[in-house]
Amino acid sequence: MGIEVSLEGKEIVYKRPKALTDAVTHYCPGCGHGTAHRLIAEIVDELGIQGTTVGVAPVGCSVFAYNYFDLDMQQAAHGRACAVATALKRLMPDKYVFTYQGDGDLAGIGGNETLHACNRGENITIVFINNAIYGMTGGQMAPTTLIGQKTTTSPYGRTTNEGNPIRMCELITTLPGVRYVERVAVNTAPRVRKAKAALLKAFKNQQENKGTSFIEIVSNCPSNWKMTPLASNKWIDDAMIPYFPLGVFKDQ
Amino acid sequence: MGETLLMKGNETLAEAALRAGCEAYFGYPITPQSEVPEYLSEEMPKRGRIFLQAESEVASINMLYGAAGAGFKAMTTSSSPGISLMLEGISYIAAAELPCVIANVTRGGPGLGTIQPSQGDYFQAVKGGGHGDYHMIVLAPSTVQEIADLTYDAFDLCWKYRTPVMIMMDGALGQMMEKVTFKEYKEPVRDISWATRGKPANGDRRVITSLHIQPEEMERVNNKLQAKYTEIKKNEVRYETQNCDDADVVIVGFGLSARIGTKAMQMMREKGYKVGLMKPISLWPFPEKAIEDLSRRVKGFYVLELNAGQMIEDVRLANEGRAKVGKYNRYGGMIYSPDEVVEHLEPFCKELK
């Protein structure tokens, strides 16, 4: 029941990438996951690797990523995406393998799998969405929840009693197996373009087999932060980025 | 038929996996199975195959998930506490219908327990262990030769049914040396059209998942699994019997207990008791029909287990109260001698005479 528009004589400047399905995502309005998905799909299209890419979906808000990427995908147990990806890449070194994981999955329950995959220098691309909260389960405290941030399991605000928010880029950078680490954000148009450049590089790095590429995307969670999308994008600037500074941490 | 070799159980398991075309092995050291990764770390790279010592059993089983999901022949091995760590992954593997081989060279528990042999993981292996309604095919060798033969079978069965298969052998079998002859392995035709190796140019993308959030769909997935389990129960029951035709009492035991039970049976025969032996080889599917048939003509079953009494529950279920059921158990890494078994079995037999 859409509106019929003639494309005759018009140039298409924006359309759904081939590597995305036409499924309507379950993401909340204003959430950064949609943007991050699109960037990865655009890169897959541009590199022409739809038939040679295998993705690994996590547990958490992006658990259904395999419904949105028109790619061969495996859904991993909570936190185990990097272990699954390790096997995929070692058995299929000519394929592009990426994981897409949130903060609870990658830095919490899957901390060990993440660290060891990076330490082995697995030739994969790890995409880490950091929105400082458990989204899918309803807004509980994450390993990256900021000090003072209120969540459903830190109703008085997180204190150091629950640990400090973990900076994964800084931690991962110390591992010799890791080749490329960058933290980006998707809350403004220029940052989206920078995020795409970082992701493109992280995928292209797999052609050279020189170690792990790790891209952290600082993102928002309007629903569980209990903010409007606009306010949540501003909170990324005001609260998230001062603690999780953007930039390249390693590029070898 | 190849030459006859003298080999350790764990090395036999590794060699049989190599011969069965295992393309990837992921594992973590734990006694008493560490000879398996040691052997494969040397042999797999020579053949251009993947060997990786993972950071934990949790990582190992999820690497196995990835490898199996991409359609490769893959195996992991561990021992009891390590298998406990893998149970989450095994549940996912069963749900996502991935073919792979998991060997448990069992030791005494619970907890960190002991590194000595035990059969205390029977419940864990055959009743699920991980969450949800699933089963693994569980094969229990009792000789080094059977380790070789059942390892071939495990690789074939996991692909035939797209389901995890466990080889469960107690630590004594892993450590003992016996003669073994490796048969020629015949590679079956394997369909990997469902495996994630990159979206086909003219086909649909492949997804490996165990998530079906709509209950109607999850019920359908469960129905499919249950139908598969029914098929496995129909086709894959394995057991052996000795001297059961005229037996009054049948010893039931698997693995090491079947070996000790065989000797005890012979000693009882010499004393004039009509004792037979029934050795379940497939612990799941359990040979319940064979037990049921025996229960209609024997006076008693005597269940030998190196645990506090686990398989005995399946014997009782199949027996349905017909024959008398006795048992003798040692656990915590202790093993009964045939004399010890006879000492306890004789009064049981006397009572039934």
Side-chain angles (χ1 to χ4, degrees):
Chain A
M1 296 279 279
I3 301 163
E4 294 289 331
V5 179
S6 169
L7 295 175
E8 210 180 317
K10 296 191 176 72
E11 186 195 353
I12 297 171
V13 295
Y14 191 84
K15 62 176 180 179
R16 176 169 54 84
K18 274 199 321 193
L20 280 186
T21 66
D22 61 1
V24 175
T25 76
H26 69 288
Y27 298 122
C28 305
C31 168
H33 272 305
T35 309
H37 279 31
R38 182 181 171 93
L39 294 181
I40 293 169
E42 284 180 0
I43 286 162
V44 169
D45 280 10
E46 285 163 26
L47 294 176
I49 56 172
Q50 191 177 17
T52 50
T53 299
V54 182
V56 184
V59 169
C61 274
S62 43
V63 68
F64 288 117
Y66 59 78
N67 283 338
Y68 311 137
F69 288 114
D70 192 13
L71 298 169
D72 273 11
M73 297 279 292
Q74 293 198 15
Q75 191 275 316
H78 202 189
R80 320 300 174 212
C82 283
V84 172
T86 293
L88 290 170
K89 188 68 181 188
R90 289 198 176 224
L91 282 155
M92 302 184 292
D94 56 333
K95 299 289 200 296
Y96 290 80
V97 175
F98 73 96
T99 70
Y100 187 102
Q101 304 172 258
D103 38 56
D105 189 271
L106 179 137
I109 193 167
N112 205 35
E113 285 75 16
T114 308
L115 280 180
H116 284 275
C118 289
N119 191 47
R120 288 189 301 263
E122 299 297 342
N123 185 26
I124 57 175
T125 302
I126 299 172
V127 182
F128 168 38
I129 308 293
N130 176 9
N131 59 10
I133 207 152
Y134 281 73
M136 180 66 104
T137 43
Q140 294 82 15
M141 187 184 72
T144 52
T145 292
L146 297 175
I147 296 295
Q149 187 181 339
K150 288 182 178 174
T151 70
T152 58
T153 51
S154 58
Y156 306 110
R158 183 181 192 171
T159 69
T160 54
N161 187 46
E162 292 86 44
N164 284 289
I166 193 163
R167 293 184 177 105
M168 287 307 290
C169 283
E170 288 82 342
L171 189 62
I172 292 294
T173 297
T174 64
L175 302 170
V178 176
R179 178 185 186 187
Y180 175 44
V181 180
E182 184 167 352
R183 185 182 286 124
V184 296
V186 288
N187 64 331
T188 68
R191 284 188 181 140
V192 170
R193 281 194 290 276
K194 273 194 113 168
K196 183 174 175 184
L199 287 165
L200 178 63
K201 185 170 185 167
F203 271 79
K204 279 172 95 171
N205 278 350
Q206 290 195 40
Q207 294 162 357
E208 287 154 21
N209 193 17
K210 285 186 181 166
T212 312
S213 294
F214 185 95
I215 304 297
E216 175 175 336
I217 301 176
V218 177
S219 190
N220 58 343
C221 183
S223 295
N224 289 304
W225 291 358
K226 307 192 191 323
M227 295 179 192
T228 65
L230 280 177
S232 72
N233 276 338
K234 187 168 182 302
W235 201 71
I236 288 179
D237 283 338
D238 296 346
M240 292 282 281
I241 291 175
Y243 190 85
F244 297 111
L246 306 184
V248 177
F249 291 85
K250 193 174 193 179
D251 186 10
Q252 289 177 344
Chain B
M1 274 292 182
E3 57 184 331
T4 300
L5 305 166
L6 181 66
M7 282 181 79
K8 212 173 187 177
N10 283 337
E11 291 174 348
T12 300
L13 172 67
E15 178 62 30
L18 279 176
R19 289 174 188 246
C22 178
E23 294 168 288
Y25 174 90
F26 308 97
Y28 187 81
I30 184 169
T31 307
Q33 64 82 53
S34 293
E35 292 85 356
V36 182
E38 284 170 354
Y39 193 94
L40 292 174
S41 66
E42 201 171 328
E43 297 300 325
M44 292 288 269
K46 287 183 196 167
R47 293 160 174 80
R49 305 185 196 171
I50 301 300
F51 170 90
L52 185 62
Q53 180 171 326
E55 62 270 30
S56 69
E57 289 88 350
V58 174
S60 302
I61 195 72
N62 286 284
M63 289 173 184
L64 201 63
Y65 178 98
F72 292 94
K73 295 177 86 167
M75 178 173 86
T76 187
T77 60
S78 189
S79 180
S80 310
I83 297 289
S84 294
L85 276 173
M86 292 186 184
L87 290 174
E88 176 201 40
I90 293 174
S91 171
Y92 277 63
I93 284 169
E97 297 193 86
L98 300 180
C100 61
V101 176
I102 301 151
N104 182 3
V105 185
T106 53
R107 59 189 246 184
L112 194 50
T114 167
I115 60 172
Q116 299 304 319
S118 162
Q119 299 179 322
D121 299 352
Y122 178 90
F123 280 154
Q124 186 195 57
V126 309
K127 304 292 181 191
H131 58 284
D133 276 317
Y134 77 90
H135 283 290
M136 289 182 281
I137 295 175
V138 183
L139 303 174
S142 67
T143 65
V144 173
Q145 182 62 53
E146 260 187 335
I147 293 172
D149 297 343
L150 293 176
T151 301
Y152 284 6
D153 290 351
F155 274 96
D156 292 349
L157 289 171
C158 74
W159 279 89
K160 183 177 176 186
Y161 295 101
R162 276 186 64 183
T163 197
V165 177
M166 175 172 276
I167 298 166
M168 193 160 92
M169 54 197 231
D170 42 69
L173 276 161
Q175 295 299 322
M176 74 169 61
M177 289 182 89
E178 275 187 328
K179 63 181 182 181
V180 57
T181 311
F182 291 96
K183 298 186 185 91
E184 195 190 331
Y185 180 75
K186 291 192 188 67
E187 176 76 38
V189 179
R190 285 185 299 135
D191 170 29
I192 57 159
S193 58
W194 48 268
T196 59
R197 293 193 179 185
K199 189 194 173 203
N202 301 312
D204 291 336
R205 69 204 161 91
R206 281 78 56 100
V207 174
I208 301 297
T209 184
S210 61
L211 176 66
H212 306 279
I213 204 104
Q214 299 300 334
E216 295 83 359
E217 196 189 337
M218 195 64 222
E219 187 181 48
R220 277 195 293 276
V221 169
N222 271 279
N223 286 340
K224 190 180 170 210
L225 289 177
Q226 292 304 318
K228 171 160 79 178
Y229 298 148
T230 303
E231 196 64 16
I232 293 171
K233 283 171 98 162
K234 207 164 73 190
N235 301 334
E236 307 301 342
V237 173
R238 288 150 201 244
Y239 63 93
E240 282 174 11
T241 54
Q242 288 180 61
N243 293 336
C244 282
D245 289 348
D246 67 341
D248 291 326
V249 171
V250 169
I251 296 171
V252 187
F254 69 94
L256 197 60
S257 294
R259 297 172 73 109
I260 298 163
T262 302
K263 182 68 186 169
M265 171 193 73
Q266 288 160 359
M267 291 163 71
M268 289 295 285
R269 285 264 165 187
E270 279 160 25
K271 283 173 175 272
Y273 295 95
K274 287 179 180 170
V275 173
L277 180 106
M278 200 273 193
K279 175 178 91 170
I281 297 171
S282 59
L283 302 185
W284 197 92
F286 187 73
E288 51 199 42
K289 182 72 172 53
I291 295 284
E292 186 198 319
D293 290 348
L294 281 171
S295 73
R296 295 183 192 283
R297 52 192 172 87
V298 301
K299 293 177 184 162
F301 290 112
Y302 200 70
V303 185
L304 278 187
E305 292 181 88
L306 293 169
N307 58 42
Q310 299 189 16
M311 184 180 70
I312 192 171
E313 294 192 2
D314 288 327
V315 173
R316 282 195 171 121
L317 279 172
N319 178 53
E320 290 182 316
R322 280 178 287 268
K324 193 168 160 66
V325 180
K327 63 171 189 160
Y328 188 62
N329 311 85
R330 293 295 295 268
Y331 33 73
M334 294 302 290
I335 301 172
Y336 27 62
S337 67
D339 292 311
E340 191 181 342
V341 172
V342 167
E343 187 193 322
H344 289 83
L345 175 56
E346 197 169 358
F348 179 79
C349 292
K350 262 191 191 143
E351 207 178 297
L352 290 177
K353 262 199 164 168

